[in-house]
Amino acid sequence: MNPPEDFSRFIADHVSAIPKSGIRDFFEVVQSMTDVISLGIGEPDYVTPWRIREAAIFALEKGKTGYTSNLGLPRLRESIASYLSRRYHVGYDPKREVLVTVGVSEALDLALRAIVNPGDEIIYHEPSYVSYSPSIVLVGGKPVSVSTRAENGFSLLATDLEPKITPRTKALLLSFPTNPTGGVLSFEELRSIAAVCRQHDIMVLADEIYSELTYDGVQHVSLASLPGMRERTILLNGCSKSFAMTGFRLGYACAPAPVIEAMMKVHQYAIMCASIMSQEAAIEALDHCAREVEEMRNDYQRRRNFVVSRLNEIGLPCHSPKGAFYVFPDIRPTKRTSLEFCLGLLKEMKVAVVPGSAFGESGEGFARCCFATSLVKLQEAMNRIETYVKKLGAE
Ligand code: PLP
């Protein structure tokens, strides 16, 4: 028998049906070019703070190279519980309500796999992180999007959420501060959303990965800390963004014990445990790195201020995000689609930003720029964007 030429019959239908991430397609073009200033990838430009790296090195030196408990190192689960209680006033039992995962990516997948039956509807807000809709589809669920809008600072309004709820709705996937818009929820908005979830008896998967990155004195409020919400929330968080630890692949999920038990079953068969060196490093991060986080946050805020003011000056209206490290300017004044705008900017000016359409239909007309890059590069990128926008205006 000859080796197959067409593999499509071997690939599962539900996997064939999902599109590749729009960001990935775009970055294949970026990687084939030289001297590009990339505001594309959602990743801190900082190297992980030294004391965290040192903790990982120390773990290796001490010969900590084996598996850990499936739930994660008990000492790390204690650090997670005490960090969440200290920072966000929400209490979890480290023995039964905390699960250490390979990034929030794994925690999200486990949460969906643990709760979704075929055809269950999961509501998420759009523009959204690229993984949400495909992750829901991959577990047999039905993604239902709710649009958020620039005029509301891309917050999710309870009045937009409620009409999307049906008898098949299992959960809301809520992520604030949010990617790609940098939107946050005010306490009032969060309270209204919580009330809708309680009233309709739905769960919430709260992806709070950007919880440390809030600006202008905004303090992140964890959904689970609201009355009656801890019982119906799967809180997802991790070290990637707050502590500049993307490569460590370290996240966690906190929820009532029966939910963690269900997630743990999937995790123990699929992954077993997160890397022990990363777990040791995360203990150091959560216990001792508040000062480093503060420094990074202040620096991001300075960069945000610069980028927002330049983009508005250039004629691309841009709200000032209160969280995460993205700005989401409106590129419609250039009369281009977001893909045309971004491809042209890349080819003509060698600046990479992501088309808003990669984050769902409601992202069309916008572009995502990550400002977690040096001020010098941001200055040059904004100058190049200005030249490009002027040129488009003259055409
Ligand atoms: N959730 C959101 C909203 C994100 O933006 C990202 C990464 O960009 C993730 C989850 C994945 O994070 P992790 O590195 O912890 O897997």
Side-chain angles (χ1 to χ4, degrees):
M1 196 78 164
N2 290 332
E5 278 173 18
D6 174 12
F7 282 88
S8 58
R9 73 188 181 84
F10 292 112
I11 309 297
D13 295 341
H14 66 289
V15 176
S16 297
I18 54 170
K20 268 196 306 178
S21 157
I23 297 194
R24 215 182 100 173
D25 282 349
F26 196 73
F27 278 90
E28 267 160 27
V29 183
V30 175
Q31 266 155 18
S32 66
M33 297 172 66
T34 48
D35 302 330
V36 173
I37 300 182
S38 180
L39 312 184
I41 302 284
E43 174 161 61
D45 63 327
Y46 292 102
V47 177
T48 309
W50 168 244
R51 56 189 302 160
I52 301 176
R53 283 183 278 153
E54 196 175 36
I57 295 166
F58 192 57
L60 264 178
E61 210 170 55
K62 297 267 277 185
K64 294 190 179 177
T65 55
Y67 294 130
T68 70
S69 144
N70 294 130
L71 283 172
L73 290 170
R75 174 71 182 78
L76 173 56
R77 282 180 273 142
E78 278 166 24
S79 288
I80 292 167
S82 89
Y83 167 83
L84 290 175
S85 150
R86 192 169 71 239
R87 291 288 291 140
Y88 306 117
H89 317 293
V90 50
Y92 288 103
D93 174 358
K95 291 198 175 65
R96 301 180 322 127
E97 296 182 321
V98 179
L99 170 64
V100 177
T101 59
V102 179
V104 170
S105 306
E106 193 218 346
L108 172 69
D109 185 49
L110 293 179
L112 290 169
R113 289 213 255 171
I115 68 164
V116 172
N117 283 319
D120 281 351
E121 293 173 8
I122 306 290
I123 302 177
Y124 67 101
H125 46 95
E126 227 197 56
S128 78
Y129 176 45
V130 288
S131 288
Y132 290 162
S133 175
S135 299
I136 297 165
V137 172
L138 283 173
V139 299
K142 183 174 167 214
V144 175
S145 66
V146 193
S147 294
T148 59
R149 293 175 290 278
E151 60 265 31
N152 304 316
F154 295 102
S155 288
L156 173 64
L157 305 184
T159 44
D160 289 337
L161 166 66
E162 197 160 19
K164 298 281 180 171
I165 298 176
T166 74
R168 297 277 352 222
T169 306
K170 187 65 134 324
L172 165 68
L173 173 42
L174 188 76
S175 177
F176 284 97
T178 198
N179 173 4
T181 63
V184 297
L185 285 180
S186 71
F187 185 62
E188 284 315 310
E189 288 159 343
L190 196 62
R191 229 169 41 176
S192 309
I193 289 168
V196 169
C197 296
R198 282 194 305 268
Q199 192 194 332
H200 293 271
D201 194 21
I202 61 175
M203 288 196 74
V204 187
L205 275 53
D207 177 349
E208 300 187 4
I209 191 166
Y210 295 100
S211 60
E212 286 284 1
L213 303 181
T214 54
Y215 311 116
D216 304 331
V218 168
Q219 170 61 38
H220 176 73
V221 178
S222 179
L223 183 79
S225 69
L226 268 60
M229 290 311 289
R230 188 189 171 288
E231 297 76 3
R232 57 177 69 251
T233 300
I234 306 179
L235 174 62
L236 313 175
N237 208 331
C239 297
S240 286
K241 316 285 177 173
S242 309
F243 300 99
M245 289 174 68
T246 46
F248 284 80
R249 312 304 307 122
L250 207 288
Y252 50 90
C254 301
V259 178
I260 289 296
E261 183 66 26
M263 290 171 66
M264 218 280 283
K265 277 201 252 172
V266 185
H267 171 76
Q268 75 184 162
Y269 293 125
I271 303 287
M272 296 229 281
C273 65
S275 140
I276 188 168
M277 288 77 88
S278 299
Q279 294 194 48
E280 292 282 352
I283 295 171
E284 184 65 24
L286 294 164
D287 285 359
H288 297 298
C289 289
R291 188 179 52 78
E292 285 82 348
V293 171
E294 177 75 29
E295 280 168 13
M296 289 191 271
R297 181 191 304 119
N298 290 340
D299 213 13
Y300 290 141
Q301 181 164 315
R302 277 192 289 275
R303 301 175 194 189
R304 179 210 60 169
N305 292 347
F306 168 73
V307 170
V308 168
S309 106
R310 279 295 278 132
L311 286 168
N312 282 303
E313 213 173 84
I314 291 166
L316 301 179
C318 180
H319 91 292
S320 183
K322 301 254 184 262
F325 40 45
Y326 310 103
V327 287
F328 205 59
D330 186 344
I331 56 91
R332 287 172 295 185
T334 65
K335 303 200 172 52
R336 301 295 189 280
T337 66
S338 56
L339 187 60
E340 284 163 358
F341 176 88
C342 295
L343 280 176
L345 181 64
L346 180 62
K347 288 192 180 132
E348 293 182 33
M349 295 291 157
K350 295 200 169 183
V351 175
V353 301
V354 186
S357 52
F359 306 99
E361 272 171 33
S362 39
E364 180 49 54
F366 294 81
R368 188 190 77 174
C369 315
C370 174
F371 55 79
T373 207
S374 73
L375 208 48
V376 174
K377 282 195 187 157
L378 289 172
Q379 280 162 345
E380 176 58 21
M382 292 303 126
N383 291 345
R384 292 190 197 179
I385 291 176
E386 184 166 38
T387 310
Y388 178 62
V389 169
K390 276 192 186 142
K391 183 172 166 272
L392 292 182
E395 271 173 11

